[in-house]
Amino acid sequence: MSGELSPIDKAKFVAAKRAADFVEDGMRVGLGTGSTAAWLVRCLGERVREEGLRMRGIPTSSRTAHLAREVGIDVISLDEAKWLDLTIDGADEFNGDLNLIKGGGGALLQEKIVATASDQMIVIADIGKEVEHLGAFPLPVEMVPFGWQTTQALVEETLISMDVLGNNSTLRMNGERPFVTDEGNYLLDLHLNRIGNPRQLSLVLNQMPGVVENGLFMDICDKVVIGFGDGRVEVRDINSGTVEKDRVDFVESDNLFADLGD
């Protein structure tokens, strides 16, 4: 794979590489799900192997758990950890207030549980994920399979009175069958185009019978690490209001790039 990474993949990698520096010896760290989070897991695995970093990872999906074990990270459950020092995860969109849309990878429920059980959440993303208004990316809603069509109709009817530009939804599929989350639920993707009041929408969605959780992450993210294809990295801290700019040396080492398959 050496020399074949796209600018977007390079941006994801440098963001993950920079975020891995926030992990300190002895930490309990929530490990996100998705392509950018997979870079993070590989970077942390390299630190474990080469620096002797002692950490325990709490994965947000079975896919992340498999990769973490593969690269040598000690994996434990959230019940074993009880509380986390830090969660690092990707996002499908983030705005200037560091509110997010997540769930493109199908793990929003576990991701939100783990993130809210952490002292701090850091999001890693390429610059293309930054938006002025959330909603261009379809908003995932996790729902129980029982009566899912009724739940879908209720959601679409409710969207008519919300501050959004669209009210269509689609059931996420895995081939010819519905996509099933690790918790055995279905995902409904809402095509809203623009969400005027994400906090209100999140509250309304979660009050509906049949809805388990939605992909709006409000007031959960503390920092975002933004990667650029040329190796530049920007770290924004919503609590301190600071912006740090850095550069990550991009070396396509065999340790990180030989096993790429996703």
Side-chain angles (χ1 to χ4, degrees):
M1 289 292 295
S2 181
E4 297 180 11
L5 288 182
S6 68
I8 291 178
D9 282 332
K10 290 180 181 179
K12 292 177 179 181
F13 167 72
V14 296
K17 186 80 168 176
R18 176 65 181 87
D21 292 340
F22 288 103
V23 177
E24 299 175 1
D25 213 46
M27 275 189 170
R28 294 158 296 180
V29 182
L31 304 174
T33 297
S35 59
T36 312
W39 283 117
L40 170 79
V41 174
R42 291 189 180 96
C43 289
L44 289 175
E46 186 179 51
R47 288 194 60 194
V48 168
R49 295 189 304 271
E50 298 189 2
E51 301 174 19
L53 174 70
R54 294 179 299 112
M55 60 161 289
R56 288 174 290 175
I58 296 82
T60 56
S61 69
S62 56
R63 300 191 306 280
T64 297
H66 176 76
L67 177 60
R69 292 188 180 99
E70 199 173 62
V71 300
I73 295 174
D74 183 18
V75 172
I76 62 172
S77 69
L78 180 57
D79 287 335
E80 290 175 286
K82 294 185 172 59
W83 194 259
L84 312 186
D85 301 288
L86 174 65
T87 287
I88 307 177
D89 202 348
D92 299 301
E93 285 184 347
F94 68 92
N95 65 12
D97 295 324
L98 301 196
N99 291 321
L100 323 167
I101 285 182
K102 288 181 51 55
L108 70 92
L109 178 58
Q110 291 190 18
E111 288 173 336
K112 190 174 281 191
I113 292 171
V114 169
T116 53
S118 304
D119 286 338
Q120 184 177 192
M121 181 191 191
I122 297 176
V123 161
I124 48 179
D126 61 88
I127 186 59
K129 300 297 176 61
E130 183 175 15
V131 296
E132 185 176 355
H133 300 285
L134 298 175
F137 189 91
L139 174 65
V141 173
E142 188 156 344
M143 58 185 180
V144 297
F146 175 79
W148 72 265
Q149 290 175 312
T150 301
T151 302
Q152 180 182 26
L154 179 62
V155 168
E156 290 186 347
E157 182 180 353
T158 302
L159 289 174
I160 296 173
S161 62
M162 295 287 100
D163 186 7
V164 296
L165 292 182
N167 63 346
N168 294 326
S169 66
T170 54
L171 180 69
R172 191 176 301 184
M173 304 296 290
N174 181 16
E176 297 182 356
R177 298 176 178 271
F179 178 91
V180 178
T181 69
D182 280 355
E183 299 302 314
N185 297 316
Y186 289 172
L187 285 176
L188 195 64
D189 289 317
L190 310 187
H191 305 280
L192 308 177
N193 301 313
R194 181 184 183 275
I195 303 172
N197 191 335
R199 185 169 282 101
Q200 178 193 46
L201 178 61
S202 180
L203 291 172
V204 170
L205 287 172
N206 281 4
Q207 289 175 349
M208 294 183 187
V211 170
V212 179
E213 189 53 84
N214 71 84
L216 286 165
F217 282 52
M218 310 298 298
D219 305 319
I220 297 175
C221 176
D222 298 283
K223 290 186 179 75
V224 60
V225 182
I226 306 167
F228 297 79
D230 60 1
R232 287 180 296 128
V233 175
E234 189 172 289
V235 181
R236 301 180 193 171
D237 189 319
I238 193 68
N239 299 311
S240 66
T242 58
V243 177
E244 298 178 11
K245 297 185 178 182
D246 200 354
R247 179 175 291 274
V248 174
D249 291 331
F250 187 81
V251 179
E252 297 188 9
S253 65
D254 291 337
N255 289 345
L256 281 176
F257 296 94
D259 63 344
L260 288 183
D262 61 340

